[in-house]
Amino acid sequence: METLINSKYTSSPHKATYRNSIIAEDPEIDAYSRIVIEATNKVSPAVVQITTTLKKRQSMPQGGTGSGFLISSEGFIVTNSHVVNGAHEIVVNLPDGTSHQAEVKGDDPSTDIAVIRIYDNSLPFARFGDSRKLNVGQLVIAIGNPLGFQYTVTAGVVSALGRSMRSYTGRLIESIIQTDAALNPGNSGGPLINSAGEVIGINTAIITQAQGLCFAVGSSVAEYVVGKLITGKKVRRALLGIEGHTIILPQRVIVYNQLSINRGILILKILENRTADNSQLKNGDIIVGINAAPVGSVDELYLQMNEELIHKRVHLDVLRKGVRIAISAILGEA
């Protein structure tokens, strides 16, 4: 695989580095702008526009647009499932102005993630970062193609972590990042990056009735799903059957219960599921561990519940009214 600067999108292997050095020396550019510019320069050559054609019975073909980003020089592209699901034809437009027919290599509606592929050589690509290391208030940058305007950049902060939301199929997506970086239709599938130019989320949804409420699937979940899809494996996952989000724990609770983490997953709703037994859990419980491993976020809990735990009994560490207790549950299959 080649790095971003060693691609046909730069006339010289040193062009991107040279451009960033000029930016760093320009006294007219403030520190905040410099961070955004340098991070964007690292990733934008790998961001693509996706156009699709859908075949519908007794009607003219309809189409849509979205975004995606290359993750390898061999042409693998990550995007949202809802961007390409059911598409009869997929065309990928690259930043150099060329277009390529793409094929779907894998699709996981449960996390709204899909992998498509084009066939070309020496393509630029972006790298995943670790969304588990994000903090509320941290700078993030969204790159995409909103409303047909190609390669648009917006910046904001992480507003909240560990959210849950429902995908277009009605299934619950966990470990969602909430940001106020502006997104619009067409941004779906594009990367949410940190100041180092690493992809820490895949932009997936907005609330149209509100301002500054935008959501992305965390990279730690996305990278796991993408790995499965590229190798042609079915994405299977265990299910606890809860709705919840990450919260910060009071210091007195941490000390009293001798916890090694300062966060937990607050259970908002217990979901009925015939394949799972979560009857010992209650609304308002805070999960802080599973099978002796501390879990401080929905993201971390999701990663622990791999397919090996489907239909298996697990031991949960739970805070109930501020006191740590041990309970058990049998995980189902999502």
Side-chain angles (χ1 to χ4, degrees):
M1 293 185 179
E2 299 186 14
T3 61
L4 283 174
I5 60 174
N6 292 328
S7 72
K8 64 183 179 183
Y9 297 94
T10 55
S11 57
S12 163
H14 307 290
K15 184 175 180 180
T17 303
Y18 175 69
R19 180 171 61 245
N20 285 340
S21 67
I22 293 177
I23 292 168
E25 296 171 2
D26 190 340
E28 298 298 319
I29 299 179
D30 61 273
Y32 174 85
S33 299
R34 189 175 297 119
I35 291 171
V36 174
I37 292 169
E38 292 179 354
T40 300
N41 284 343
K42 288 181 181 179
V43 179
S44 56
V47 179
V48 305
Q49 182 185 46
I50 299 171
T51 60
T52 61
T53 301
L54 306 177
K55 261 193 173 180
K56 292 196 172 183
R57 293 180 181 178
Q58 299 177 346
S59 68
M60 296 293 292
Q62 297 182 2
T65 63
S67 304
F69 56 97
L70 287 147
I71 57 167
S72 78
S73 59
E74 290 83 19
F76 288 99
I77 296 168
V78 175
T79 185
N80 281 152
S81 170
H82 76 260
V83 171
V84 298
N85 189 274
H88 172 67
E89 182 181 48
I90 303 171
V91 176
V92 171
N93 302 309
L94 300 181
D96 68 344
T98 61
S99 297
H100 300 259
Q101 295 285 333
E103 63 178 4
V104 176
K105 301 301 293 185
D107 186 12
D108 183 38
S110 295
T111 51
D112 200 13
I113 293 172
V115 176
I116 62 176
R117 187 180 185 184
I118 60 175
Y119 291 89
D120 201 349
N121 297 317
S122 303
L123 293 166
F125 60 93
R127 291 182 171 85
F128 282 112
D130 190 349
S131 59
R132 292 171 295 181
K133 297 180 180 179
L134 287 175
N135 292 289
V136 173
Q138 184 173 333
L139 170 67
V140 287
I141 303 157
I143 309 176
N145 307 282
L147 301 172
F149 294 99
Q150 295 187 8
Y151 316 116
T152 298
V153 176
T154 58
V157 298
V158 174
S159 304
L161 294 166
R163 296 294 197 206
S164 298
M165 63 177 292
R166 295 198 179 277
S167 70
Y168 69 99
T169 64
R171 294 183 180 181
L172 198 67
I173 310 177
E174 299 174 327
S175 64
I176 293 292
I177 301 166
Q178 180 183 327
T179 175
D180 66 352
L183 301 177
N184 287 285
N187 271 113
S188 293
L192 186 70
I193 66 175
N194 60 17
S195 58
E198 300 170 325
V199 178
I200 46 80
I202 301 174
N203 299 318
T204 189
I206 59 174
I207 296 179
T208 55
Q209 300 89 345
Q211 293 183 350
L213 284 177
C214 306
F215 302 94
V217 179
S219 61
S220 56
V221 170
E223 191 171 12
Y224 168 79
V225 172
V226 167
K228 291 282 189 179
L229 297 179
I230 287 178
T231 56
K233 297 179 180 178
K234 179 184 177 183
V235 181
R236 300 180 66 210
R237 56 183 61 83
L239 175 72
L240 182 56
I242 64 167
E243 288 185 13
H245 64 78
T246 303
I247 63 168
I248 302 297
L249 300 174
Q251 186 62 31
R252 59 179 177 79
V253 173
I254 297 171
V255 173
Y256 179 82
N257 292 284
Q258 299 181 343
L259 300 176
S260 61
I261 54 176
N262 66 347
R263 295 182 295 176
I265 302 113
L266 173 65
I267 298 177
L268 301 175
K269 185 177 181 181
I270 308 294
L271 305 176
E272 293 184 7
N273 187 282
R274 289 178 297 178
T275 66
D277 180 4
N278 53 22
S279 57
Q280 293 186 35
L281 290 170
K282 296 182 178 180
N283 291 341
D285 284 350
I286 302 171
I287 301 173
V288 293
I290 179 171
N291 288 344
V295 288
S297 68
V298 176
D299 214 2
E300 293 173 4
L301 179 63
Y302 179 93
L303 291 175
Q304 290 286 339
M305 295 193 303
N306 55 49
E307 60 185 278
E308 295 177 359
L309 293 181
I310 294 174
H311 305 312
K312 299 292 180 62
R313 183 175 296 277
V314 296
H315 301 282
L316 300 173
D317 290 321
V318 171
L319 298 178
R320 182 172 292 169
K321 297 182 179 180
V323 179
R324 184 175 179 175
I325 62 172
I327 66 172
S328 65
I330 298 176
L331 301 182
E333 181 172 3

